Amino acid sequence: MKRKGMRAGASIAGAVLAGVLSVMPVQARIAASEDGQIFRLDGGNVTYAFGVTKGGLLKSLYWGPKLAEADRLEAVSPRELSSVDPSSSIDTQEYPGWGGGLYTEPTLKLAYPDGVRDVVLRFVSYRIADDALLVEMADIARPIHVTLRYTIDPETGIVGRSATIRNDGKVPVRLDQASSAAWSLPVGDDYRLHYLTGRWASEWTLQERPVTAGSTVIESRRGSTSHQANPWFAVDRAGLSTEENGPVWFGALAWSGSWRISVDRDPIGDVRVVGGFNPFDFAYRLKPGAALETPIFYAGYSGQGMGGASRLLHRFELDKVLPGAPSPKPRPVLYNSWEATEFAVDEQGQMALAEKAAKIGVERFVMDDGWFGARNNDHAGLGDWTVNRTKFPNGLKPLIDKVHGLGMEFGLWVEPEMVNPDSDLYRKHPDWVIAMPGRPRTEQRNQLVLNLARPEVRDYVLKAVDDLVSRNDIQFLKWDHNRNWSEPGWLGVDPEDQQQLYVAYVRNLYWIIGELRKRHPKLEIESCSGGGGRVDLGIMGLTDQVWPSDNTDPYDRLTIQDGFTHAYAPGVMMAWVTDSPNWVNNRSTSLRYRFLSSMQGGLGVGANLNKWGDADFAEAARMIAAYKQVRQTVQRGDLYRLISPEDGSARSATFSVARDGKQAVLFAFLHSSTKIDVLPKIHLAGLDPARRYRVRAIDAVPSADDPVASGAYWMGVGIDVPMKGDFQAEGRVFEVVD
Ligand code: GLA
């Protein structure tokens, strides 16, 4: 139903730390023009606008710094170039269907049983409900309807977009592509695309390339988010944008299945970003009356460079996405047994580690892989979620009681979506896996993927984990997912519906985790996928923290964490202090260096404590105590990447400023010393210039001799952080004095 008149539909009051320290009340406003032809969303420091052309196309109009309320956007006329350039292709559309002479990337592509594969969507109506703008579109001839949903976050200006495609006809329609949104940037030849790629133990590598004519595709065809590319992008402008200045448009998909984001510069020079379900191998049959909803594609704008963009995303994740938002619980310091014991876990060994972990201030003890079924290595046992009685003759209770008695929470590793062919579950239900009839079942890490799309598998997995958590006093699960899909078939289902797997699996995964959380409201969960293979805004809505990488080398972690924080908050980024030399690269580093590297996110310890001496325990206890003093700032504050470990200099540094501005923490690393380097001072950022801050070493007790100066001083003059040698690290705490 179309409502007339300019109206501020969803008026959401909120408050934001605009800039750095000043609290400025803002409003989110979603409004339509009198004639219902122009739509405008305002939130944070951002305006997003689109309109209806004379022909009924939905045309993108503006996305950038906030406009004045009285500003009128241009009347929407289709762009005319020549009679051979259809306006459908040269106008940037909000949600273009493939049809009617569209040559640019569509958001929707479909096929009818009679061979028609043309869809031309036209504006029908709009309404504003529940803080969202809903725009109805329909095909010019057939009963296919699309509802576009728009929201804007009042604090960060992050826009959320998704689409629901509905078949209101009498015959099925096959969707070959169903994206969440198309985002457009005005004509320009200086755009640069930033995105994140990687592989196992090497995730979160920041890539940069100019956005030239043509297309860049980042995607996962693997059934899950992937290590190889992450569903995040940022576009800035060469010459204008830096880490702390200039325009950056960015976005992230809330989806943990196969996905694709394409970034195109069309022949006119517009940049178009289209993202959502990966159309590769996508074929979703919509029966009459059925609908498909896409994941949400979130996107935002910052005028404060890449640093500003990531601070907006971090806030959005912490305040709007994570379980417990806007006040997700601080991450406890955890111990994890994996690197110490691998599969050789048993009651005595774990108890001994737990005693040592408790001594240094660990708050959560997590037993990793190896505790269940015939799991003595990675060849057997996955799927059989019963305690291994050889390793735990009396079940898990004695260990859990011991851990609780030591004042720690207890957590457990699980990988519920997987099965080893050598397991009781697989012997009983060989058809429960993702596979195609008569084709090999390609194994990775000796395992197959359970088909969560099947209701009986969904129920089995929920029950197995629910039983485990109900029968044992478990506060935390590390939820792993160690392989990608292959032969992605759904045994026993009509071949025409098999590819619904790509959607149904992920939706069921979300449902299972959501249901578990409902049944066990105190349970916390970590998303792990052979390291950082499943980190995205979808899984983040259901999990409290993520494991960015199996690579625990503290120097490698600096670049991993630098890439990670471009998209995701330090408050979810777990990092463990492990043994030296590190198994990844045989690099030796001091315990202090390992701690300071890991303290930039959620701190964990994964070292073999049986090998530690008294001095190690004393140092660890001191560093963990120091971490607890600053973790609120590190996990929830504003992150400034002062010197990137990727920019080639001998040093790198990060700086976190608490939201109330009262504390800030500097982590500085010297990668290697050559000759007699005189290191420049480090210039801080984000402090209140007018307030005075006292500075001390992160693990030192405050003293009257600690230097005191204004925020202006620390930012303008900078601070000396003396370091000499290879792999050196220092931490400084800034505390407001008055
Ligand atoms: C994955 C995880 C590791 C560990 C192992 C256990 O690789 O990323 O941290 O849990 O599985 O098999």
Side-chain angles (χ1 to χ4, degrees), residues 338 343 368-369 413 445 478 480 482 528 530-531 547 550 576:
W338 174 245
F343 299 95
D368 211 279
D369 202 348
W413 179 95
R445 210 190 186 207
K478 174 178 171 185
D480 214 334
N482 268 305
C528 173
W547 182 230
D550 277 351
W576 304 342

Side-chain angles (χ1 to χ4, degrees), residues 247-549:
V248 178
W249 295 262
F250 57 93
L253 272 169
W255 188 240
S256 314
S258 288
W259 58 272
R260 186 176 76 158
I261 296 174
S262 62
V263 181
D264 298 1
R265 183 156 170 252
D266 68 19
I268 310 283
D270 295 302
V271 174
R272 302 157 185 249
V273 182
V274 172
F277 295 128
N278 195 332
F280 178 82
D281 199 39
F282 194 82
Y284 195 101
R285 187 160 65 154
L286 269 189
K287 299 208 172 104
L292 174 66
E293 192 181 342
T294 70
I296 302 176
F297 197 170
Y298 291 104
Y301 168 81
S302 168
Q304 272 81 52
M306 295 291 280
S310 54
R311 285 188 291 277
L312 289 177
L313 259 174
H314 298 171
R315 287 218 165 190
F316 183 67
E317 290 154 9
L318 293 163
D319 294 358
K320 304 287 153 58
V321 178
L322 285 167
S327 312
K329 288 214 197 93
R331 297 299 81 222
V333 177
L334 68 71
Y335 178 80
N336 179 292
S337 63
W338 174 245
E339 289 198 20
T341 62
E342 296 211 338
F343 299 95
V345 293
D346 62 23
E347 190 178 289
Q348 285 315 312
Q350 292 292 302
M351 283 185 178
L353 286 170
E355 272 170 16
K356 291 175 177 142
K359 270 204 325 207
I360 53 174
V362 164
E363 297 159 311
R364 173 181 281 168
F365 182 85
V366 184
M367 176 160 66
D368 211 279
D369 202 348
W371 58 269
F372 54 92
R375 189 75 170 166
N376 297 317
N377 49 50
D378 62 15
H379 287 262
L382 280 180
D384 301 338
W385 298 105
T386 47
V387 179
N388 181 310
R389 290 282 167 169
T390 313
K391 298 174 181 177
F392 298 91
N394 306 305
L396 296 178
K397 192 166 184 321
L399 173 62
I400 296 178
D401 288 349
K402 170 88 179 177
V403 167
H404 288 162
L406 290 164
M408 298 183 291
E409 293 183 357
F410 182 77
L412 201 58
W413 179 95
V414 288
E415 195 177 3
E417 299 154 75
M418 300 288 165
V419 68
N420 286 118
D422 184 0
S423 67
D424 293 342
L425 183 70
Y426 187 73
R427 282 183 280 273
K428 203 162 159 203
H429 297 292
D431 286 355
W432 277 15
V433 297
I434 291 178
M436 291 176 180
R439 304 297 302 167
R441 297 175 175 198
T442 304
E443 292 175 23
Q444 290 168 21
R445 210 190 186 207
N446 316 301
Q447 63 196 58
L448 298 169
V449 186
L450 287 171
N451 182 354
L452 253 52
R454 294 173 77 120
E456 67 275 39
V457 176
R458 178 200 61 197
D459 295 346
Y460 169 84
V461 168
L462 174 63
K463 184 167 181 330
V465 187
D466 184 32
D467 283 353
L468 197 63
V469 180
S470 306
R471 290 182 191 153
N472 300 285
D473 201 356
I474 294 171
Q475 287 78 47
F476 171 80
L477 291 176
K478 174 178 171 185
W479 187 297
D480 214 334
H481 174 276
N482 268 305
R483 63 155 289 179
N484 296 129
W485 297 5
S486 55
E487 301 93 19
W490 183 340
L491 299 170
V493 154
D494 183 341
E496 301 255 31
D497 289 325
Q498 283 206 15
Q499 283 141 288
Q500 294 199 5
L501 181 66
Y502 287 106
V503 178
Y505 179 110
V506 181
R507 294 255 150 93
N508 280 356
L509 170 71
Y510 289 167
W511 181 82
I512 293 167
I513 302 180
E515 190 60 26
L516 263 177
R517 295 195 75 114
K518 245 190 259 157
R519 294 185 193 179
H520 306 280
K522 291 202 178 125
L523 181 72
E524 291 199 351
I525 301 176
E526 174 175 276
S527 174
C528 173
S529 178
R534 192 154 66 192
V535 183
D536 58 77
L537 293 186
I539 202 76
M540 248 189 208
L542 292 158
T543 54
D544 306 87
Q545 60 189 52
V546 303
W547 182 230
S549 180

Side-chain angles (χ1 to χ4, degrees), residues 206 243 555 558-563 565-566 640-654 667 669 671:
L206 200 57
E243 174 68 14
Y555 173 65
L558 297 182
T559 45
I560 287 173
Q561 292 174 174
D562 183 76
T565 60
H566 277 76
Y640 294 82
R641 291 178 294 259
L642 298 179
I643 312 170
S644 164
E646 313 213 47
D647 77 1
S649 94
R651 269 187 321 185
S652 65
T654 66
F667 294 97
F669 302 88
H671 314 319

Side-chain angles (χ1 to χ4, degrees), residues 52-70:
V52 185
T53 68
K54 280 193 204 99
L57 298 180
L58 221 51
K59 178 169 165 168
S60 318
L61 286 182
Y62 177 77
W63 179 25
K66 191 169 191 164
L67 304 177
E69 214 167 290

